[in-house]
Structures are given as structure tokens and as C-alpha cells.
Amino acid sequence: MAPNPTESLALPVLGMTCASCQHHVEAALRSTAGVQSAHVDLIANRAQVDFDPSIAAPQALVEAIRAAGYDAVLPRPGASAETHSDGLSFGAERKAYATLIAGAAAMALAMPLGTEMGALDHALMRVFPWLYALPPDLLRWFLLVLTAATMAWAGRGIYLSAARGLRHGTTNMSTLVSLGTSVAFAYSAYATVWPAPGRQVYYDAVLLIVGFLLLGKALEARAKRRALAALNALSRLRPATARRIRDGVSAVVPLEEIQPGDSVLVLPGERFPVDASIVEGRTSVDESMLTGEPTPLPREPGGRVLAGSLNYDGAVTCRAESLGEATVLAQITRMVEQAQGSRAPMERLADRASSIFVPVVLALAALTFAAWLIAAHSLPLALANTVAVLVIACPCAMGLAVPAALTVAVGRGAQLGVLFKGGEALERLAHLDVIVLDKTGTLTVGRPVLEAIHPLAGSSEDELLRMAAAAEERSNHPLAHAVIDAAKARGPAWQPAEDAQVLPGRGLSAKVEGHECLLGNEALFQEFSIKLPTDSAAPDSGVTRLWMALDNVPAGYFDARDALRLDAAEAVAALRRDGLRVLMLTGDSAAAAGPIAREAGITEIEAGLDPAGKLARIRALQASGLRVAMVGDGINDAAALAQADAGIAMGTGADLAQEAGDVLLLRAQPASIPAALDLARSTLRVMRQNLIWAVGYNLLGIPLAAGVLYPRFHILLSPWVAAAAMALSSVSVLANSLRLRGWRPTPAAPQTAQSAQTR
């Protein structure tokens, strides 16, 4: 029996405030019948769920999230992928500043209630003498009303979040803040209703704690939006309307009404609404937001344009090809979205710590309260230090440390034409020893040109070329393009081939005009026991030879030459400077591969390898303890790409290679390879910095708030200072991650005189 199909659904989640919330939502979804996997993205406030629709309906997933104490909504069909911050942050900045102002006022009003007169009291008394003349009871009651009203207005979301969590048996960041401020407020209210010597009020601390938390959340939400800017920019590239042409009349229609084959008019300055081919007109196209290519590219009739790219200087009529989710823009957006929501291995430690963080802090707060009450016999001191412990603890910083950096890095990579398929791929890319490069289409342009046609057994060049073009028309190999381009230039017509079968790494077979046609390398002919002529001249240096047989009899061969990509030598030199060993593995002959390798600066070459040979070589390198990246673009590279520790696929290559790779280079330029590695290493450094800060902050902050320095140095941390430090912690992690938005590839070193001469 075939397994039930699995569906994937992205659900916006509301009410999450920290990594503990993320853990609770994931646990609720994973425990739902029919759910196979669930991952919650704290940055984008989104849950990605894979489920069996025959067991779990989408609404059941929403109910599971709500049962955990949070909220979710089903996405609208066709909705944009643009992400937004949680509703808790809306208006939080305005409320934060108002609460902080109220807290500062409460601190000033509470000064006359102190038991001792300090320098600040004397200064305040000189400025506001009337304040010290007011009855203390009046001040206390005014502060009580001010604090209660502000907590209900500004802190309502915090307390509701904590209440929902307690109702469902879970704890989160709001639990700690709510408990700390509620205890401080309750004690202050008690001291207000029943005042007595030594009973202090902490209204100012309550207001400042709430204010700093709200301010931290507002700044955090702003930083999250900046971290998601690349994804949101991609989602906004596709226009909502298009100019459809029917019967010679242009009309603006909603994009959903465009069908494949429709004629679409795009004016200068507009974005292409669909993937299409140009039918009429010439223009320049800016694809920088899709491929990272900064130079506008010329397009003329027959040229392909991508949805979201910008039409510069010519009005063109296009034929719609790919629409909606099938466009390259939609696929890139989907890949970036999935990569930003993925887990990096480094995140697992933070996840485990975050899941138990709040209960541990609650236990430490109780221990702090008991220790101070026993040691100092002072309820106010015990209370103040307990509140400080509760509010200084920050699980958010640990929860954001890795995903914040990953989100920004994936977005920045997409802007530069480097698509990481997930956090694990990015981490593996940062720890490599060997880079293995394919030749054709990776180091070379991938558009070889036929230099010569050599018929055998009395065939003419045109006849040989015609039959070869009929077979190669069914292939996407670069040599197939060379044959077809030459055939089109000469003009012979051909009949479509039948039963075409691509043999990766060797060639293809097909039935052409009633003949069994075989096209490929020497290994393919050996496999079919076809003897090659012994009197044929060896190919020139740098030439690739393509053999052809009809009905198992050699009919001729083609010689083609490919050119090295302009930036290949610089890319190889950059990889070597990074301490990486560089190899070339190719299915081409040694005579064809040698000159290309020398020109690129590669000294280790293995030629004549089929897909199994490339795979075996990758495995041998890994067996020796090396971490290997494979860079390729063809079907024959797919197995090696999948086996390598990091597979890097060229965006112009075969779909199978792109699927097998962990990283996709939209710009078919070798210079993107060292750039991708450099970005991965920079991201890993930021992740580590974030984790060190987040863990170190809590390891130092909590004991400091508990008063470990008091016995020797008489230093205590005020609760509102602890709250300010807590807010700063999360914002610092996000600010550090946002540095990756400005990351740029290291400029390539200038070529030496020798390499320039070789070029």
C-alpha cells in the first residue's frame, strides 16, 4: 500500500515571546496525530508543519497551537510570503516610552518615602521642595494608582501571555517578568495599605521593568523586520497586475488571470510579472534581486526573462511560460523561506537549554529569596533580589542567537545570488578541507563550440550533423548544445528522434531515421563493445571528442572546444589562499581537461570519470578524514553532490544537480564559490559570538542579581537595572546578527603577471 501523501503548511503563530514559547508550540504540534514534523521560527513567528491531511486537518493544527496557549491563523490562499512581527510588538514602542517616563516619575515621587536622606534627596528637595512637603500616604496611594493603571494598559499583553501559559501548564519569558513585577507590586500595595517603618514600595521598579521589557521587545521586533528584509523584498518583486494583449488590445488584468501562452506587454521601468520569452522588442533586464548579477543583461526576441526582474529601457511583448508558484522568483522565495526557518546544528544546544531555562530560573529565584531571608532577616532585601533574578534572566537571547544570524545570512546570500538550503548546509560549508570541481559548465562556460566534424564510412558532414542533432535535441548536455548550434548554423533539417535515453557521464542513445544512434565518449563505446578506428588523429589539446555510431558501427566524431570562465583562475586562487585543497574531477578526456586545469591553476586532475567514479573519489577523500565540497552542474554530478559534505550546484545546471546540492549559485560564476564559503564562515563566527554572549550574560547576570557580590563588595543589582540588562541582551544578539546585512565578498586578488599572460 502506498503511503499517504504528506502536505506542508506554514502557519503564522501569535503570542510567542521567547525560545520557551517556541519549544512549547513545537511540542504541541508534534504531539498532534498526523503531524510528521514541525519547526517553529521565532524570528518570523511562523510554524512549518509537515502532516498527513487524511489524519490531521489544517484547522486541527491551529487548534493544537491554541490549546498550548498561543494563537494561529490559516494562511490565505496565494498570500504573499512576507512576514511580520507578532502583534505583541504593535504599539509596544509607544507604550514602552510612556511606561519608562511613568517609572522615572515614580522613582522621583518615591524619594521622599525613603528612610535615609542621600545626596540625590537633598538635590531633589532644593528643586522640588513641595514634593517633600506632601503627606507620605498621599504619595504611596498616587503611586499605587499610577502603577496599577500603567500595568493594566501597557503590560496587559505580558500578563495575559503569562496567564495563558500557566493555564496550559507552560512557562515563558512573560512568566518571569509577570511573577517578578506582581510580587513587587503586591508587596508595595501591602506597604501602602498598611504602612510601617521599614516597609518600602517598589512601584518605580515595577514600571521600569515593564517599560524596559516593552522597549526591548519593540527594538527586537524592529531588528527582526530588518533581518527578514531580504525575504520580504523578494515577496514584493512580483507585480499584482499585468498588461495582457488580446486581439491587439492591451488591458491591465490581475496577475491571476494570466495563462501560459498569453502575450504580455512590459513597459520600461516595470517588473516582469511572469517567467516568459520575448516575442517582440529589445531591452536590458536587471536581475540583481534574483541572481545577484549587478550588470543589466540584454534581451531580444527568443530571450528568457524572469518574473520580478526589472525592464530597463525597452517596451517588450512576451509570451507567458511559468506562472505563480512555478516561477523562478517563487522557487527562490520558497528556498530562502525554508532555509531561514531551518535548524542549524549549533542551535540544538540552545534549544535544550531554553526548554528548561524558565523552570531553573524560578527555582533559583526561590533559592535567592530563602537565602536572603535567612541570612539578612530582611524581607525587602529578599524581595528585591528575587525580583532582580526573575527579570534579568533572558531565554530570548539564547533562542535568538543562532536563528537570527542564520536568517540574516540566508537573506544576504540570496541578494548575492547564493542560496543556502538550510542551516546545516551553511555550517558544513564553513568546515571544509577539499573543494572538488567539475569542468564543463563549472569551470568552463559550458557552451562548447564545434571545431571539426569527421565523418567515417563515407558519410557526409551534413548527414552526420543532422542525425547527431536529432539525437542531441533530447539532451541538455553542453556538447548537445554545441551540436545543435552547429546544425542550426548549417541549416540541415532533421526528424525528431525516438526512444532517446541519456546515459549520465557517457552520452546518449536514440533511434534516428530508423537507425540505432549512439553518441558519447570512448567509455560508452567500450560498454557497447564498439571498436573505434585506430587511424583517427588524437584530439588537439583542450578539445573534447564526441563519438557517434549508427547500428553499432562508428559513423564519425565531433571535436568541440570550451572556454574557461573569466573568473575561474581568480576563484581557484582564492580557495587556495583559504587553505583548501582544490581538485578537478571530470568525465572528459585528460587531453581536453589538462589545458583547462592548467589555465585555472589546478594541479590535481582526474579525467575520464563516470558518475560512479566521481562518487567513489568523493567517498575516498571522506574516508581519509577530509571534509569535501563538490561543485558541479550536470546530471553526472548529482550523486557526487549528494555524497559530499557540502554540495554546491551551479544555477544554470541540470535540475537534478540543483536538487542534490546544499548550496545553489544563481550566478554561474566560480567567484561565487569562495564568496559562499566566506559568508558561511562569517555567519558561523556571528553565531558563536551570539551564543557566547547569551550564555555568558545569563551565567554572570543571574548570580549578580542574586547578590553574590554583596558579602564582599556590598554590591546589589536594582530590579530595574536588571530589567534594562535583560532588554539589552536580546537586542545585542540581534544587532550583532544584523552586521551580516552589510557583508560583502572579499575582492579577488589581482592576477599575477604569469597568470595574466596565460589568460
Side-chain angles (χ1 to χ4, degrees):
M1 183 181 293
N4 292 329
T6 300
E7 289 187 8
S8 184
L9 181 65
L11 288 171
V13 181
L14 308 176
M16 293 191 299
T17 58
C18 67
S20 297
C21 302
Q22 177 185 17
H23 175 76
H24 297 321
V25 174
E26 283 184 350
L29 287 169
R30 288 169 182 166
S31 62
T32 303
V35 172
Q36 298 183 356
S37 66
H39 169 64
V40 176
D41 185 353
L42 185 60
I43 300 290
N45 295 300
R46 181 180 57 229
Q48 188 72 35
V49 190
D50 295 326
F51 64 102
D52 183 346
S54 65
I55 301 175
Q59 188 60 39
L61 305 178
V62 172
E63 295 303 325
I65 295 173
R66 289 174 178 169
Y70 304 89
D71 198 8
V73 291
L74 290 174
R76 289 176 284 112
S80 166
E82 186 167 350
T83 53
H84 301 280
S85 295
D86 193 329
L88 185 65
S89 66
F90 293 160
E93 197 164 344
R94 177 171 54 88
K95 291 182 178 180
Y97 288 124
T99 307
L100 289 174
I101 291 171
M107 183 180 289
L109 293 174
M111 295 293 287
L113 302 177
T115 56
E116 296 180 4
M117 291 284 288
L120 188 58
D121 287 278
H122 289 294
L124 191 64
M125 184 181 292
R126 283 195 297 270
V127 178
F128 303 110
W130 56 268
L131 183 60
Y132 284 78
L134 292 174
D137 287 345
L138 178 62
L139 288 174
R140 289 191 184 94
W141 280 99
F142 176 78
L143 290 173
L144 171 62
V145 174
L146 174 66
T147 305
T150 307
M151 289 172 69
W153 171 67
R156 181 172 178 271
I158 300 170
Y159 298 108
L160 287 178
S161 174
R164 281 195 303 267
L166 290 176
R167 195 162 57 244
H168 294 88
T170 61
T171 55
N172 52 43
M173 184 71 207
S174 296
T175 306
L176 299 178
V177 174
S178 297
L179 181 60
T181 54
S182 297
V183 168
F185 178 78
Y187 179 80
S188 300
Y190 170 74
T192 299
V193 177
W194 294 285
R199 289 182 185 171
Q200 301 180 31
V201 292
Y202 297 97
Y203 295 120
D204 54 341
V206 171
L207 292 173
L208 290 171
I209 288 169
V210 173
F212 280 122
L213 175 65
L214 291 175
L215 181 61
K217 286 297 175 187
L219 296 176
E220 186 180 307
R222 187 186 297 177
K224 285 181 180 179
R225 288 194 292 271
R226 293 179 64 195
L228 292 163
L231 178 59
N232 290 340
L234 281 174
S235 70
R236 289 192 294 265
L237 286 181
R238 190 176 65 175
T241 60
R243 284 186 174 84
R244 184 175 60 192
I245 300 178
R246 281 190 177 173
D247 302 323
V249 178
S250 171
V252 177
V253 299
L255 187 59
E256 292 74 20
E257 293 186 15
I258 301 296
Q259 299 296 323
D262 282 353
S263 293
V264 178
L265 174 65
V266 183
L267 301 179
E270 295 181 343
R271 294 194 179 273
F272 289 92
V274 294
D275 290 354
S277 58
I278 293 181
V279 177
E280 182 182 337
R282 287 175 170 79
T283 188
S284 298
V285 177
D286 179 6
E287 297 180 349
S288 58
M289 278 301 295
L290 298 175
T291 65
E293 175 58 62
T295 306
L297 305 171
R299 291 289 186 268
E300 56 187 20
R304 190 163 185 255
V305 290
L306 302 178
S309 56
L310 181 65
N311 182 21
Y312 258 164
D313 46 23
V316 292
T317 302
C318 311
R319 182 184 298 108
E321 294 176 346
S322 299
L323 312 173
E325 294 303 306
T327 62
V328 172
L329 171 62
Q331 294 169 21
I332 291 174
T333 303
R334 195 158 52 245
M335 286 180 62
V336 173
E337 185 177 6
Q338 290 171 353
Q340 288 185 331
S342 66
R343 280 280 204 275
M346 194 182 293
E347 197 173 349
R348 293 168 189 157
L349 175 63
D351 283 348
R352 287 196 294 269
S354 297
S355 64
I356 62 170
F357 187 88
V358 175
V360 168
V361 171
L362 290 173
L364 290 174
L367 185 62
T368 300
F369 182 80
W372 275 97
L373 201 58
I374 294 170
H377 303 290
S378 171
L379 181 60
L381 271 179
L383 187 66
N385 291 319
T386 301
V387 172
V389 168
L390 288 171
V391 299
I392 201 171
C394 190
C396 301
M398 286 192 294
L400 293 170
V402 175
L406 178 63
T407 296
V408 180
V410 168
R412 182 58 180 150
Q415 291 174 337
L416 298 172
V418 178
L419 294 187
F420 298 102
K421 292 188 178 179
E424 189 171 352
L426 190 143
E427 279 202 34
R428 287 201 303 266
L429 206 64
H431 299 103
L432 293 174
D433 304 304
V434 181
I435 298 287
V436 175
L437 300 168
D438 173 49
K439 179 182 78 72
T440 306
T442 301
L443 286 170
T444 64
V445 176
R447 295 293 294 194
V449 177
L450 283 191
E451 285 196 341
I453 304 172
H454 301 275
L456 301 173
S459 300
S460 69
E461 289 188 9
D462 283 351
E463 182 182 2
L464 198 68
L465 187 60
R466 184 187 76 247
M467 298 186 74
E472 293 287 16
E473 194 175 30
R474 307 290 178 166
S475 171
N476 198 32
H477 193 277
L479 285 176
H481 295 304
V483 171
I484 293 169
D485 289 346
K488 287 180 178 178
R490 291 202 180 199
W494 60 81
Q495 297 296 321
E498 300 175 354
D499 301 327
Q501 183 178 4
V502 175
L503 307 169
R506 294 162 292 164
L508 62 81
S509 64
K511 182 172 283 189
V512 180
E513 299 178 11
H515 296 282
E516 295 294 334
C517 180
L518 203 65
L519 281 153
N521 54 23
E522 294 183 12
L524 180 63
F525 277 55
Q526 291 173 3
E527 182 180 328
F528 281 80
S529 301
I530 300 175
K531 291 185 178 180
L532 298 175
T534 56
D535 57 349
S536 59
D540 293 338
S541 178
V543 166
T544 299
R545 179 157 290 178
L546 177 69
W547 288 92
M548 179 175 173
L550 295 174
D551 300 323
N552 289 333
V553 176
Y557 57 90
F558 306 86
D559 285 342
R561 188 186 298 273
D562 204 354
L564 187 72
R565 293 188 186 274
L566 294 177
D567 59 340
E570 294 171 357
V572 170
L575 293 171
R576 289 188 180 282
R577 284 196 300 272
D578 287 339
L580 295 166
R581 178 181 167 191
V582 183
L583 288 79
M584 177 195 286
L585 301 185
T586 178
D588 215 337
S589 65
I596 293 292
R598 286 192 294 273
E599 195 175 350
I602 300 174
T603 56
E604 294 186 69
I605 317 162
E606 292 191 34
L609 296 176
D610 60 9
K614 290 185 178 182
L615 179 62
R617 189 68 182 98
I618 296 290
R619 285 175 174 168
L621 289 167
Q622 290 173 326
S624 65
L626 298 173
R627 289 163 293 195
V628 184
M630 171 70 193
V631 188
D633 74 319
I635 295 175
N636 58 326
D637 299 318
L641 286 167
Q643 174 64 38
D645 297 282
I648 304 175
M650 306 297 277
T652 53
D655 291 344
L656 184 60
Q658 295 182 21
E659 287 294 324
D662 300 304
V663 181
L664 183 61
L665 305 181
L666 296 178
R667 294 165 66 180
Q669 298 176 353
S672 297
I673 302 169
L677 269 59
D678 192 16
L679 177 55
R681 287 190 290 264
S682 298
T683 306
L684 208 63
R685 280 196 297 272
V686 171
M687 287 179 179
R688 286 173 177 156
Q689 291 166 0
N690 287 349
L691 279 175
I692 290 171
W693 164 254
V695 174
Y697 163 83
N698 284 291
L699 288 178
L700 293 175
I702 293 175
L704 185 63
V708 294
L709 296 181
Y710 186 79
R712 185 173 181 84
F713 300 102
H714 294 281
I715 295 176
L716 288 175
L717 204 61
S718 173
W720 70 266
V721 174
M726 176 268 295
L728 177 65
S729 179
S730 296
V731 175
S732 298
V733 164
L734 285 164
N736 190 45
S737 301
L738 286 172
R739 292 191 300 116
L740 290 168
R741 287 185 69 195
W743 181 90
R744 293 187 178 279
T746 303
Q751 291 180 299
T752 62
Q754 182 179 359
S755 65
Q757 201 172 30
T758 304
R759 294 288 294 278

